[in-house]
Amino acid sequence: MGYPASSASAASPSTQGKTILETGDIGRIIDRIAHQILEKTSGARDVVLVGIATRGVPLARRLVERISTFESVDVPLGVLDITLYRDDLRLRGARSVGHTEVPPEGIDGRRVVLVDDVLFSGRTVRAALDALKDIGRPRAVQLAVLVDRGHRELPIRADYVGKNIPTALTESVKVLLTETDGRDAVVLQEETA
Amino acid sequence: MIHDLLSAADLDADSATLILDTAVEMAAMADRDIKKLPTLRGRTVVNLFYEDSTRTRISFEAAAKRLSADVINFSAKGSSVSKGESLKDTALTLQAMGADAVVVRHQASGAPHRLATWVDGRVINAGDGTHEHPTQALLDAYTLRSRLGGIAGRHVAIVGDVLHSRVARSNVLLLHTLGAKVTLVAPPTLVPVGVSEWNADVSYDFDAVLPSVDAVMMLRVQRERMGEAYFPSAREYSRRYGLDPVRVSRLPEHAIVMHPGPMIRGMEITPEVADSPRSTIVEQVANGVAVRMSVLYHLLGGFK
């Protein structure tokens, strides 16, 4: 059978290209976003962090860890796989479905912060919002991303942005994380056809 | 992914594992308040049932609906079939109505294969005669995997009316693909001709097999398919091939008891065994919905 691995979540993307963020930069960004979340939500009260698979999950886990270090609050962590909510299944074919894990506390009445690596067209976030709606009714939903590369196709914006990176549509942004790729980096590459 | 699911042999180990892995996620959704995914919106699934069925038809219907597909149920009784319409003409009608998938159960072995040559949509075999029932094998594999932690290297006994059982045939194929050892246990009259070609051992002695198995899969004695006497009496059958508490006590402690249903209590299985905690009979039905959702998703998800 063999599905073609999607370019965004290939197991080991090639790392040639221009490095935009290094390990230290990513660490500082995570620290800053953790502080911003604490500030904007009165000390992370009722907050649930939900990582969007694949690379949003380790990012969300790091944020949970930083938040608990800064203010010693335990923020519940959820995992969302949006494969079954994608709007391009018909075009790109059925793919293997990842794991979704709702935190035991649920998300009803909570402030959910969705976490993803790259904000691009906004379609992943739209799918994530649809998925959340089937899991429960949060009081509010916010969005945290490591990189915003522009080119939105939907009226969606992020509440917490690690770095805005202006890109051309012919370029691609690769986020590498230690948990999934062995090291931390954000690389800008020219898309090869 | 394959175009149609006609036989358990259509699946290699990777495809089968992918379907089972996806089914785990589908099953998790069953615990939520909103048991609905938008994945197959706008697709039409036709349940074409020429033979009586409760659990399989309802299971496919629930699976398709949870994925937001439109479901059309077609049963031979009360349709043009009773006026003499052929399978081919019925198939062409469904084709004209734009069915994206046809789930078919038919009393004739091979009917789904013929159907697949007439329609463009995906065809899923939901049981054809005494031939195959691949989604039952998948849900049994799912149950085995979740209860025993794996399938490779496990030993499964399939006991009873193997001759008339499409469940047995599909299970032997799939379990072999997934690396399990299978022993068929039946009276000689209920063992199919050519069984030596199957990837399974055959035993006529249930008691000798009991201590070494990880799971016992009991089959219903299919009286409706028996034109003649295959064994002297129901009582003798039960005594030699029925599963009662005494036999269960000889199973290894972790072994599970399965039955595809419908079961005949007192014939192949006693009520105490059917209702015991080791029995997965009700669990199998619940797993059936998740597994069928996974099959529909993989066959229809990327289908234009």
Side-chain angles (χ1 to χ4, degrees):
Chain A
M1 119 171 57
Y3 293 105
S6 80
S7 58
S9 61
S12 53
S14 80
T15 54
Q16 278 149 19
K18 193 175 146 203
T19 302
I20 309 264
L21 297 175
E22 311 261 8
T23 312
D25 303 323
I26 292 174
R28 279 187 289 275
I29 285 172
I30 300 280
D31 286 356
R32 191 189 80 229
I33 293 178
H35 279 299
Q36 285 175 330
I37 291 173
L38 282 164
E39 187 186 343
K40 267 209 181 181
T41 58
S42 336
R45 204 147 39 86
D46 297 334
V47 165
V48 175
L49 289 187
V50 175
I52 300 175
T54 307
R55 290 185 180 74
V57 180
L59 287 173
R61 195 167 286 126
R62 290 187 198 184
L63 283 169
V64 165
E65 190 269 319
R66 296 319 287 157
I67 288 171
S68 94
T69 308
F70 297 147
E71 303 248 330
S72 48
V73 279
D74 283 328
V75 175
L77 175 71
V79 175
L80 203 56
D81 180 90
I82 53 108
T83 309
L84 296 168
Y85 290 87
R86 296 187 71 100
D87 60 6
D88 60 355
L89 276 175
R90 212 178 261 264
L91 307 173
R92 297 180 58 173
R95 299 193 249 173
S96 58
V97 178
H99 185 55
T100 290
E101 196 166 314
V102 183
E105 299 85 349
I107 60 167
D108 287 332
R110 302 219 168 216
R111 271 194 271 232
V112 171
V113 180
L114 289 170
V115 183
D116 204 1
D117 54 352
V118 180
L119 180 57
F120 182 20
S121 65
R123 288 177 191 269
T124 301
V125 177
R126 183 209 57 83
L129 290 170
D130 283 352
L132 275 187
K133 172 196 76 178
D134 285 354
I135 294 170
R137 187 184 184 282
R139 189 168 96 215
V141 181
Q142 299 181 336
L143 174 64
V145 295
L146 184 62
V147 173
D148 182 349
R149 63 164 293 188
H151 303 290
R152 216 76 75 240
E153 294 165 7
L154 295 168
I156 281 169
R157 55 150 185 81
D159 299 88
Y160 313 99
V161 179
K163 188 169 176 63
N164 284 297
I165 302 179
T167 57
L169 275 170
T170 54
E171 291 169 319
S172 73
V173 176
K174 296 262 184 276
V175 171
L176 308 175
L177 295 172
T178 314
E179 295 89 329
T180 49
D181 314 287
R183 70 185 178 98
D184 276 5
V186 175
V187 181
L188 187 65
Q189 314 178 295
E190 197 62 33
E191 191 87 65
T192 45
Chain B
M1 200 19 111
I2 50 176
H3 189 279
D4 304 302
L5 182 58
L6 303 175
S7 160
D10 294 343
L11 299 167
D12 57 19
D14 287 345
S15 324
T17 305
L18 177 65
I19 288 174
L20 297 180
D21 288 345
T22 305
V24 174
E25 295 303 318
M26 298 293 186
M29 201 203 60
D31 298 332
R32 298 199 201 145
D33 290 344
I34 299 172
K35 300 175 185 30
K36 192 99 174 166
L37 292 164
T39 320
L40 296 183
R41 270 182 61 221
R43 308 299 170 92
T44 302
V45 176
V46 175
N47 284 328
L48 180 61
F49 278 65
Y50 282 85
E51 216 182 53
D52 293 337
S53 160
T54 18
R55 82 200 70 224
T56 306
R57 189 181 61 72
I58 291 171
S59 180
F60 267 110
E61 183 171 351
K65 285 182 170 170
R66 284 186 184 177
L67 291 170
S68 302
D70 294 315
V71 181
I72 298 172
N73 285 313
F74 178 107
S75 70
K77 276 177 199 144
S79 72
S80 300
V81 172
S82 50
K83 299 176 190 162
E85 188 175 64
S86 71
L87 177 64
K88 180 168 185 177
D89 291 323
T90 305
L92 295 177
T93 306
L94 300 176
Q95 168 87 347
M97 286 179 189
D100 295 303
V102 180
V103 176
V104 58
R105 166 163 294 189
H106 202 282
Q107 62 280 2
S109 300
H113 288 75
R114 290 297 283 146
L115 190 70
T117 63
W118 294 321
V119 299
D120 296 333
R122 309 290 173 124
V123 176
I124 300 171
N125 181 359
D128 59 333
T130 59
H131 180 227
E132 282 223 44
H133 193 356
T135 58
Q136 177 72 41
L138 281 165
L139 79 87
D140 288 338
Y142 182 98
T143 308
L144 283 165
R145 208 173 72 155
S146 68
R147 277 293 193 110
L148 302 176
I151 292 176
R154 306 305 158 104
H155 184 196
V156 180
I158 301 178
V159 186
D161 186 357
V162 177
L163 178 63
H164 299 103
S165 178
R166 51 197 177 206
V167 174
R169 188 181 295 261
S170 288
N171 259 303
V172 168
L173 289 166
L174 187 67
L175 287 171
H176 175 72
T177 302
L178 294 172
K181 171 178 148 69
V182 181
T183 302
L184 299 167
V185 182
T189 49
L190 289 175
V191 173
V193 176
V195 77
S196 55
E197 306 289 311
W198 296 23
N199 288 306
D201 297 336
V202 178
S203 168
Y204 304 135
D205 184 355
F206 195 7
D207 290 301
V209 174
L210 286 169
S212 68
V213 298
D214 300 292
V216 195
M217 200 178 282
M218 302 305 295
L219 301 173
R220 181 172 63 91
V221 176
Q222 302 196 33
R223 279 276 169 84
E224 74 277 15
R225 295 190 209 274
M226 292 183 185
E228 51 204 286
Y230 285 90
F231 43 80
S233 72
R235 192 158 157 221
E236 181 172 330
Y237 179 87
S238 301
R239 192 179 300 161
R240 298 200 53 176
Y241 296 100
L243 192 60
D244 57 22
V246 178
R247 287 210 165 98
V248 168
S249 71
R250 287 190 221 132
L251 287 170
E253 208 139 299
H254 67 273
I256 57 169
V257 175
M258 306 172 75
H259 194 302
M263 60 182 155
I264 307 173
R265 287 169 184 260
M267 182 78 170
E268 69 267 6
I269 191 164
T270 64
E272 303 94 295
V273 176
D275 299 329
S276 76
R278 306 180 87 167
S279 144
T280 61
I281 297 168
V282 180
E283 205 175 307
Q284 284 168 268
V285 177
N287 294 343
V289 178
V291 164
R292 288 172 179 125
M293 285 173 75
S294 174
V295 168
L296 287 170
Y297 166 68
H298 283 291
L299 290 190
L300 280 176
F303 180 44
K304 277 185 264 188

